[in-house]
Amino acid sequence: MSIKNSNDVVIFGLENSWELAQKISKYINIEVSPIQKITFADGEKLLYSDLTVRNKSVFIICNTSKPVNDNLMELLIFIDSLKRASAKDINVVITYYGYARQDRKAAGRQPISARLVADLLQTAGASKIIAIDLHNPSIQGFFNIPVDDLRGQFIFGKELKNRKDKFVIVSPDHGGAVRARQLSELLQSDDEIAIIDKRRTGPNKSEIMGVLGNVAGKNVVIYDDIIDTGGTILHAVQALKEQGAKKIIVAATHGLFSKGFDMFENDNNVTEVIVTDSTNLKNTQNYKKLRILSLDEFLGKVIEANINKTSITEVYNDYIRQKK
Ligand code: R5P
């Protein structure tokens, strides 16, 4: 990779994105710069750069998965420190955007926390957001700064297109239908997608009303943006099995696994679960069914395009053309 004027670029990785930052740094040939982090007795945090950022373009690799509030606050404090240290621009590469699911007033008197987070990031000093698979792409409009909401379909498309099995792509709810269709198109599947008719019955609870589409005798990929408790996916797996699906693969950009991974490892109907390293997945190396695709190369290319002022569309095209 060739980055122009790399001396004017500084890369940081917040603690829960440290490994991904290291991997990206190898692609773009720019070392990750150290961050000083102090935690006070009452839990307050202080973060700042060890080295000067004066008039430099800064990229912060971060994610605000659990603990969401701590990680968000660390990010805001660090952005503020960079702004006050005269960074030229502050590019926040936020691989998982906590609170994205609170993107509208779903019921009377509820907050729109995804908008609040956008306001906080901008007030802190972010000049650009690079995200991947925001739960709702309309969150881009919550910002008055540029947002690159990268499409995870390219990551999964590259992974699945060279497999010998062909798959029907299934969205586990109505909201994910466009995402599923885009993946299906990337894979040039002859089959229509299928959609699970899911109804939310409470916080972290859902029930399945039916399956729209034909999955009988087909291998399927259930494609979602987030796996949180796992309830949505495991209900979908059961419904698809009842409809006669053969091999069932689960793919999701953001693996939160708030109730652990055992439920997938022990489910005989699940062949494989594929997620990215958008969140920090610790202690998962012994799971046989879990495959983690790194965002390192993809984000490396996107960061390169931002620095070299070239097109992200070209990054997508190059990425999907590559063989595994
Ligand atoms: C919901 O709209 C999202 O796309 C995911 O389907 C949801 O967040 C998954 O949550 P859980 O794993 O807790 O069912």
PDB file of all heavy atoms in Angstrom, residues 227-231 233-234 237 250 257 260-268 270 273 289:
ATOM      1  N   ILE A 227     -25.358  -9.457  16.091  1.00  0.00           N
ATOM      2  CA  ILE A 227     -25.834 -10.544  16.960  1.00  0.00           C
ATOM      3  C   ILE A 227     -25.598 -10.057  18.381  1.00  0.00           C
ATOM      4  O   ILE A 227     -24.457  -9.810  18.780  1.00  0.00           O
ATOM      5  CB  ILE A 227     -25.075 -11.865  16.735  1.00  0.00           C
ATOM      6  CG1 ILE A 227     -25.214 -12.342  15.291  1.00  0.00           C
ATOM      7  CG2 ILE A 227     -25.587 -12.941  17.703  1.00  0.00           C
ATOM      8  CD1 ILE A 227     -24.404 -13.594  14.970  1.00  0.00           C
ATOM      9  N   ASP A 228     -26.675  -9.883  19.123  1.00  0.00           N
ATOM     10  CA  ASP A 228     -26.538  -9.379  20.496  1.00  0.00           C
ATOM     11  C   ASP A 228     -26.782 -10.567  21.442  1.00  0.00           C
ATOM     12  O   ASP A 228     -25.863 -11.328  21.753  1.00  0.00           O
ATOM     13  CB  ASP A 228     -27.525  -8.230  20.699  1.00  0.00           C
ATOM     14  CG  ASP A 228     -27.361  -7.534  22.032  1.00  0.00           C
ATOM     15  OD1 ASP A 228     -26.599  -8.031  22.872  1.00  0.00           O
ATOM     16  OD2 ASP A 228     -28.004  -6.488  22.261  1.00  0.00           O
ATOM     17  N   THR A 229     -28.020 -10.781  21.868  1.00  0.00           N
ATOM     18  CA  THR A 229     -28.278 -11.938  22.734  1.00  0.00           C
ATOM     19  C   THR A 229     -28.256 -13.242  21.937  1.00  0.00           C
ATOM     20  O   THR A 229     -28.084 -14.323  22.498  1.00  0.00           O
ATOM     21  CB  THR A 229     -29.668 -11.832  23.387  1.00  0.00           C
ATOM     22  OG1 THR A 229     -30.652 -11.828  22.339  1.00  0.00           O
ATOM     23  CG2 THR A 229     -29.803 -10.573  24.208  1.00  0.00           C
ATOM     24  N   GLY A 230     -28.454 -13.154  20.630  1.00  0.00           N
ATOM     25  CA  GLY A 230     -28.521 -14.350  19.778  1.00  0.00           C
ATOM     26  C   GLY A 230     -29.949 -14.829  19.540  1.00  0.00           C
ATOM     27  O   GLY A 230     -30.186 -15.716  18.723  1.00  0.00           O
ATOM     28  N   GLY A 231     -30.917 -14.219  20.250  1.00  0.00           N
ATOM     29  CA  GLY A 231     -32.317 -14.662  20.147  1.00  0.00           C
ATOM     30  C   GLY A 231     -32.851 -14.567  18.724  1.00  0.00           C
ATOM     31  O   GLY A 231     -33.472 -15.514  18.214  1.00  0.00           O
ATOM     32  N   ILE A 233     -31.361 -14.636  15.861  1.00  0.00           N
ATOM     33  CA  ILE A 233     -30.769 -15.615  14.943  1.00  0.00           C
ATOM     34  C   ILE A 233     -31.251 -17.025  15.271  1.00  0.00           C
ATOM     35  O   ILE A 233     -31.625 -17.788  14.370  1.00  0.00           O
ATOM     36  CB  ILE A 233     -29.213 -15.556  15.015  1.00  0.00           C
ATOM     37  CG1 ILE A 233     -28.701 -14.216  14.471  1.00  0.00           C
ATOM     38  CG2 ILE A 233     -28.579 -16.734  14.289  1.00  0.00           C
ATOM     39  CD1 ILE A 233     -28.890 -13.987  12.999  1.00  0.00           C
ATOM     40  N   LEU A 234     -31.258 -17.380  16.542  1.00  0.00           N
ATOM     41  CA  LEU A 234     -31.628 -18.766  16.860  1.00  0.00           C
ATOM     42  C   LEU A 234     -33.101 -19.039  16.577  1.00  0.00           C
ATOM     43  O   LEU A 234     -33.453 -20.136  16.145  1.00  0.00           O
ATOM     44  CB  LEU A 234     -31.254 -19.114  18.306  1.00  0.00           C
ATOM     45  CG  LEU A 234     -29.744 -19.276  18.498  1.00  0.00           C
ATOM     46  CD1 LEU A 234     -29.412 -19.703  19.915  1.00  0.00           C
ATOM     47  CD2 LEU A 234     -29.130 -20.280  17.515  1.00  0.00           C
ATOM     48  N   VAL A 237     -33.086 -19.620  12.874  1.00  0.00           N
ATOM     49  CA  VAL A 237     -32.538 -20.945  12.549  1.00  0.00           C
ATOM     50  C   VAL A 237     -33.634 -22.001  12.682  1.00  0.00           C
ATOM     51  O   VAL A 237     -33.834 -22.848  11.793  1.00  0.00           O
ATOM     52  CB  VAL A 237     -31.340 -21.285  13.481  1.00  0.00           C
ATOM     53  CG1 VAL A 237     -30.957 -22.757  13.388  1.00  0.00           C
ATOM     54  CG2 VAL A 237     -30.137 -20.401  13.152  1.00  0.00           C
ATOM     55  N   VAL A 250     -24.646 -18.611   9.592  1.00  0.00           N
ATOM     56  CA  VAL A 250     -25.049 -17.314  10.131  1.00  0.00           C
ATOM     57  C   VAL A 250     -23.929 -16.321   9.839  1.00  0.00           C
ATOM     58  O   VAL A 250     -22.758 -16.628  10.074  1.00  0.00           O
ATOM     59  CB  VAL A 250     -25.266 -17.414  11.660  1.00  0.00           C
ATOM     60  CG1 VAL A 250     -25.565 -16.051  12.259  1.00  0.00           C
ATOM     61  CG2 VAL A 250     -26.372 -18.417  11.987  1.00  0.00           C
ATOM     62  N   PHE A 257     -22.467 -10.978  21.099  1.00  0.00           N
ATOM     63  CA  PHE A 257     -22.571 -12.213  21.880  1.00  0.00           C
ATOM     64  C   PHE A 257     -22.725 -11.922  23.381  1.00  0.00           C
ATOM     65  O   PHE A 257     -21.975 -12.438  24.216  1.00  0.00           O
ATOM     66  CB  PHE A 257     -21.371 -13.128  21.611  1.00  0.00           C
ATOM     67  CG  PHE A 257     -21.228 -13.512  20.165  1.00  0.00           C
ATOM     68  CD1 PHE A 257     -20.078 -13.186  19.438  1.00  0.00           C
ATOM     69  CD2 PHE A 257     -22.239 -14.190  19.507  1.00  0.00           C
ATOM     70  CE1 PHE A 257     -19.960 -13.524  18.096  1.00  0.00           C
ATOM     71  CE2 PHE A 257     -22.131 -14.536  18.161  1.00  0.00           C
ATOM     72  CZ  PHE A 257     -20.985 -14.198  17.461  1.00  0.00           C
ATOM     73  N   GLY A 260     -22.910 -14.949  25.349  1.00  0.00           N
ATOM     74  CA  GLY A 260     -21.895 -15.948  25.028  1.00  0.00           C
ATOM     75  C   GLY A 260     -22.132 -16.615  23.681  1.00  0.00           C
ATOM     76  O   GLY A 260     -23.130 -16.352  22.992  1.00  0.00           O
ATOM     77  N   PHE A 261     -21.189 -17.504  23.304  1.00  0.00           N
ATOM     78  CA  PHE A 261     -21.260 -18.159  21.997  1.00  0.00           C
ATOM     79  C   PHE A 261     -21.709 -19.615  22.094  1.00  0.00           C
ATOM     80  O   PHE A 261     -22.048 -20.238  21.096  1.00  0.00           O
ATOM     81  CB  PHE A 261     -19.887 -18.073  21.300  1.00  0.00           C
ATOM     82  CG  PHE A 261     -19.933 -18.514  19.868  1.00  0.00           C
ATOM     83  CD1 PHE A 261     -20.457 -17.679  18.888  1.00  0.00           C
ATOM     84  CD2 PHE A 261     -19.499 -19.782  19.508  1.00  0.00           C
ATOM     85  CE1 PHE A 261     -20.546 -18.096  17.566  1.00  0.00           C
ATOM     86  CE2 PHE A 261     -19.578 -20.203  18.182  1.00  0.00           C
ATOM     87  CZ  PHE A 261     -20.099 -19.357  17.220  1.00  0.00           C
ATOM     88  N   ASP A 262     -21.760 -20.154  23.325  1.00  0.00           N
ATOM     89  CA  ASP A 262     -22.084 -21.584  23.491  1.00  0.00           C
ATOM     90  C   ASP A 262     -23.391 -21.966  22.807  1.00  0.00           C
ATOM     91  O   ASP A 262     -23.537 -23.047  22.260  1.00  0.00           O
ATOM     92  CB  ASP A 262     -22.188 -21.944  24.980  1.00  0.00           C
ATOM     93  CG  ASP A 262     -20.814 -21.994  25.627  1.00  0.00           C
ATOM     94  OD1 ASP A 262     -19.820 -22.016  24.881  1.00  0.00           O
ATOM     95  OD2 ASP A 262     -20.748 -21.990  26.864  1.00  0.00           O
ATOM     96  N   MET A 263     -24.377 -21.061  22.861  1.00  0.00           N
ATOM     97  CA  MET A 263     -25.697 -21.398  22.289  1.00  0.00           C
ATOM     98  C   MET A 263     -25.593 -21.700  20.792  1.00  0.00           C
ATOM     99  O   MET A 263     -26.354 -22.510  20.275  1.00  0.00           O
ATOM    100  CB  MET A 263     -26.694 -20.256  22.529  1.00  0.00           C
ATOM    101  CG  MET A 263     -26.300 -18.962  21.874  1.00  0.00           C
ATOM    102  SD  MET A 263     -27.549 -17.680  22.134  1.00  0.00           S
ATOM    103  CE  MET A 263     -27.124 -17.114  23.738  1.00  0.00           C
ATOM    104  N   PHE A 264     -24.630 -21.096  20.115  1.00  0.00           N
ATOM    105  CA  PHE A 264     -24.445 -21.378  18.689  1.00  0.00           C
ATOM    106  C   PHE A 264     -23.611 -22.643  18.500  1.00  0.00           C
ATOM    107  O   PHE A 264     -23.902 -23.498  17.673  1.00  0.00           O
ATOM    108  CB  PHE A 264     -23.744 -20.209  17.985  1.00  0.00           C
ATOM    109  CG  PHE A 264     -24.570 -18.961  17.953  1.00  0.00           C
ATOM    110  CD1 PHE A 264     -24.321 -17.922  18.824  1.00  0.00           C
ATOM    111  CD2 PHE A 264     -25.616 -18.830  17.058  1.00  0.00           C
ATOM    112  CE1 PHE A 264     -25.095 -16.774  18.803  1.00  0.00           C
ATOM    113  CE2 PHE A 264     -26.402 -17.690  17.021  1.00  0.00           C
ATOM    114  CZ  PHE A 264     -26.135 -16.668  17.902  1.00  0.00           C
ATOM    115  N   GLU A 265     -22.549 -22.745  19.300  1.00  0.00           N
ATOM    116  CA  GLU A 265     -21.646 -23.900  19.200  1.00  0.00           C
ATOM    117  C   GLU A 265     -22.423 -25.198  19.449  1.00  0.00           C
ATOM    118  O   GLU A 265     -22.171 -26.217  18.817  1.00  0.00           O
ATOM    119  CB  GLU A 265     -20.531 -23.731  20.250  1.00  0.00           C
ATOM    120  CG  GLU A 265     -19.392 -24.721  20.146  1.00  0.00           C
ATOM    121  CD  GLU A 265     -18.393 -24.398  19.044  1.00  0.00           C
ATOM    122  OE1 GLU A 265     -18.559 -23.389  18.337  1.00  0.00           O
ATOM    123  OE2 GLU A 265     -17.457 -25.210  18.878  1.00  0.00           O
ATOM    124  N   ASN A 266     -23.410 -25.118  20.361  1.00  0.00           N
ATOM    125  CA  ASN A 266     -24.144 -26.330  20.748  1.00  0.00           C
ATOM    126  C   ASN A 266     -25.417 -26.559  19.947  1.00  0.00           C
ATOM    127  O   ASN A 266     -26.137 -27.522  20.200  1.00  0.00           O
ATOM    128  CB  ASN A 266     -24.516 -26.266  22.241  1.00  0.00           C
ATOM    129  CG  ASN A 266     -23.272 -26.183  23.104  1.00  0.00           C
ATOM    130  OD1 ASN A 266     -22.220 -26.687  22.700  1.00  0.00           O
ATOM    131  ND2 ASN A 266     -23.366 -25.531  24.251  1.00  0.00           N
ATOM    132  N   ASP A 267     -25.710 -25.688  19.002  1.00  0.00           N
ATOM    133  CA  ASP A 267     -26.935 -25.852  18.211  1.00  0.00           C
ATOM    134  C   ASP A 267     -26.619 -26.663  16.960  1.00  0.00           C
ATOM    135  O   ASP A 267     -25.891 -26.199  16.066  1.00  0.00           O
ATOM    136  CB  ASP A 267     -27.503 -24.474  17.832  1.00  0.00           C
ATOM    137  CG  ASP A 267     -28.882 -24.590  17.197  1.00  0.00           C
ATOM    138  OD1 ASP A 267     -29.073 -25.470  16.337  1.00  0.00           O
ATOM    139  OD2 ASP A 267     -29.766 -23.801  17.576  1.00  0.00           O
ATOM    140  N   ASN A 268     -27.173 -27.878  16.891  1.00  0.00           N
ATOM    141  CA  ASN A 268     -26.846 -28.775  15.777  1.00  0.00           C
ATOM    142  C   ASN A 268     -27.302 -28.252  14.424  1.00  0.00           C
ATOM    143  O   ASN A 268     -26.825 -28.692  13.388  1.00  0.00           O
ATOM    144  CB  ASN A 268     -27.483 -30.155  15.998  1.00  0.00           C
ATOM    145  CG  ASN A 268     -26.811 -30.858  17.146  1.00  0.00           C
ATOM    146  OD1 ASN A 268     -25.649 -30.571  17.445  1.00  0.00           O
ATOM    147  ND2 ASN A 268     -27.537 -31.746  17.820  1.00  0.00           N
ATOM    148  N   VAL A 270     -26.906 -25.178  13.409  1.00  0.00           N
ATOM    149  CA  VAL A 270     -26.008 -24.101  12.940  1.00  0.00           C
ATOM    150  C   VAL A 270     -24.694 -24.732  12.481  1.00  0.00           C
ATOM    151  O   VAL A 270     -24.013 -25.396  13.258  1.00  0.00           O
ATOM    152  CB  VAL A 270     -25.737 -23.089  14.077  1.00  0.00           C
ATOM    153  CG1 VAL A 270     -24.720 -22.040  13.637  1.00  0.00           C
ATOM    154  CG2 VAL A 270     -27.026 -22.435  14.528  1.00  0.00           C
ATOM    155  N   VAL A 273     -20.815 -19.754  12.172  1.00  0.00           N
ATOM    156  CA  VAL A 273     -21.193 -18.358  12.425  1.00  0.00           C
ATOM    157  C   VAL A 273     -20.009 -17.491  12.002  1.00  0.00           C
ATOM    158  O   VAL A 273     -18.886 -17.679  12.485  1.00  0.00           O
ATOM    159  CB  VAL A 273     -21.506 -18.114  13.923  1.00  0.00           C
ATOM    160  CG1 VAL A 273     -21.858 -16.651  14.167  1.00  0.00           C
ATOM    161  CG2 VAL A 273     -22.643 -19.016  14.393  1.00  0.00           C
ATOM    162  N   LYS A 289     -17.171 -23.422  15.566  1.00  0.00           N
ATOM    163  CA  LYS A 289     -18.122 -22.899  14.574  1.00  0.00           C
ATOM    164  C   LYS A 289     -17.935 -21.410  14.298  1.00  0.00           C
ATOM    165  O   LYS A 289     -18.590 -20.870  13.418  1.00  0.00           O
ATOM    166  CB  LYS A 289     -19.553 -23.146  15.044  1.00  0.00           C
ATOM    167  CG  LYS A 289     -19.943 -24.599  15.012  1.00  0.00           C
ATOM    168  CD  LYS A 289     -21.406 -24.774  15.312  1.00  0.00           C
ATOM    169  CE  LYS A 289     -21.765 -26.245  15.363  1.00  0.00           C
ATOM    170  NZ  LYS A 289     -23.148 -26.441  15.820  1.00  0.00           N
TER     171      LYS A 289
END
